[in-house]
């Protein structure tokens, strides 16, 4: 029976090592993606990432996949600075104890607008409200810039899609874009309501 137990133990160790290797590989990919620009992932997927995720369904050719990956890299380069701005704005909102739940996951760096605590008189309170409103407007503007960049990249991607591929690709684009529009609508509602 000893050889049998030894075999089971060896299999267990092998499976454990395999699991650890996969976990480390996933961690390495995550760390590498954050190391470039030191920024976490976006709260909404790019249209190109969605198309690549559905490459089998869309029957993308190797040439199309290569082109989409190039466009995705270029889009990332355009949006990474905007993403970092969103991280800072989100952190500032947290310091005011009035978090906005859209935008991007992860923390920022420092509060560029102040965010003073303690008691405030009416003039200071109004000034603080003005700062919060301006911050929400900047979030809206930054998200729209990222949305515009994403749209331009998708339009470039469509140029290499066949007529048979375009309807489903446009459907996927609309579904993902709808998630971002919901975030923007919630933000606009807060601005109209004065909830800042």
């Amino acid at each position: 029976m000893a050889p049998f137990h030894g075999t089971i133990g060896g299999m267990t160790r092998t499976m454990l090592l395999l699991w650890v290797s996969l976990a480390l590989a996933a961690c390495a990919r995550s760390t590498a993606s954050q190391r470039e620009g030191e920024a976490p992932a976006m709260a909404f997927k790019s249209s190109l990432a969605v198309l690549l995720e559905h490459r089998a369904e869309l029957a993308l050719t190797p040439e199309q996949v290569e082109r989409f990956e190039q466009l995705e890299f270029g889009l990332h380069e355009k949006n990474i600075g905007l993403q970092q701005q969103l991280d800072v704005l989100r952190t500032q909102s947290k310091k005011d104890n009035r978090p906005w739940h859209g935008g991007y996951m992860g923390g920022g760096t420092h509060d560029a607008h102040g965010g003073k605590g303690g008691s405030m008189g009416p003039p200071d309170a109004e000034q603080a409200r003005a700062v919060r409103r301006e911050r929400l407007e900047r979030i809206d503007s930054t998200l729209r810039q990222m949305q515009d960049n994403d749209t331009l990249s998708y339009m470039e991607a469509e140029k290499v899609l066949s007529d048979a591929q375009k309807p489903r690709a446009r459907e996927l684009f609309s579904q993902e874009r709808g998630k971002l529009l919901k975030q923007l609508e919630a933000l606009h509602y807060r601005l109209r309501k004065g909830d800042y």
Side-chain angles (χ1 to χ4, degrees):
M1 297 298 293
F4 177 77
H5 287 296
T7 301
I8 295 298
M11 291 178 62
T12 302
R13 286 193 296 272
T14 300
M15 293 300 295
L16 178 60
L17 288 173
L18 178 60
W19 181 87
V20 171
S21 298
L22 291 172
L24 289 174
C27 181
R29 288 193 297 269
S30 176
T31 301
S33 66
Q34 292 190 18
R35 189 180 299 120
E36 185 176 355
E38 296 297 327
M42 301 178 187
F44 69 93
K45 295 179 183 178
S46 75
S47 301
L48 295 167
V50 173
L51 295 182
L52 288 169
E53 285 181 358
H54 291 79
R55 67 184 69 188
E57 179 185 357
L58 292 168
L60 298 180
T61 66
E63 293 76 17
Q64 288 174 324
V65 170
E66 181 179 4
R67 177 57 176 156
F68 290 177
E69 288 175 344
Q70 292 172 350
L71 290 169
E72 171 71 0
F73 179 81
L75 178 62
H76 175 79
E77 291 297 300
K78 287 181 181 179
N79 279 349
I80 192 168
L82 297 170
Q83 177 186 327
Q84 291 169 339
Q85 292 178 33
L86 283 168
D87 292 336
V88 173
L89 292 167
R90 186 173 183 269
T91 299
Q92 292 166 353
S93 293
K94 280 186 174 181
K95 289 182 179 181
D96 286 339
N97 294 320
R98 302 180 67 85
W100 180 68
H101 298 289
Y104 291 74
M105 303 301 294
T109 54
H110 59 278
D111 191 343
H113 291 281
K116 299 178 181 178
S119 59
M120 296 186 299
D124 289 335
E126 287 303 312
Q127 183 178 3
R129 276 179 55 83
V131 168
R132 290 196 295 269
R133 179 181 177 86
E134 188 267 344
R135 187 178 298 142
L136 290 179
E137 290 173 342
R138 286 178 59 196
I139 289 174
D140 175 75
S141 174
T142 305
L143 274 175
R144 289 190 178 280
Q145 290 179 62
M146 298 186 77
Q147 174 184 283
D148 291 343
N149 289 340
D150 183 82
T151 299
L152 290 173
S153 295
Y154 173 80
M155 291 172 65
E156 285 298 313
E158 252 208 9
K159 293 179 180 179
V160 299
L161 290 173
S162 68
D163 291 339
Q165 292 170 321
K166 287 179 181 178
R168 178 55 178 158
R170 290 171 180 171
E171 183 180 355
L172 292 169
F173 170 81
S174 298
Q175 289 174 356
E176 197 62 34
R177 182 53 55 86
K179 299 176 185 178
L180 175 58
L181 292 178
K182 286 182 179 179
Q183 294 183 26
L184 291 170
E185 288 171 2
L187 177 58
H188 296 161
Y189 176 77
R190 286 188 60 180
L191 288 169
R192 291 194 302 270
K193 187 180 177 182
D195 183 16
Y196 46 78

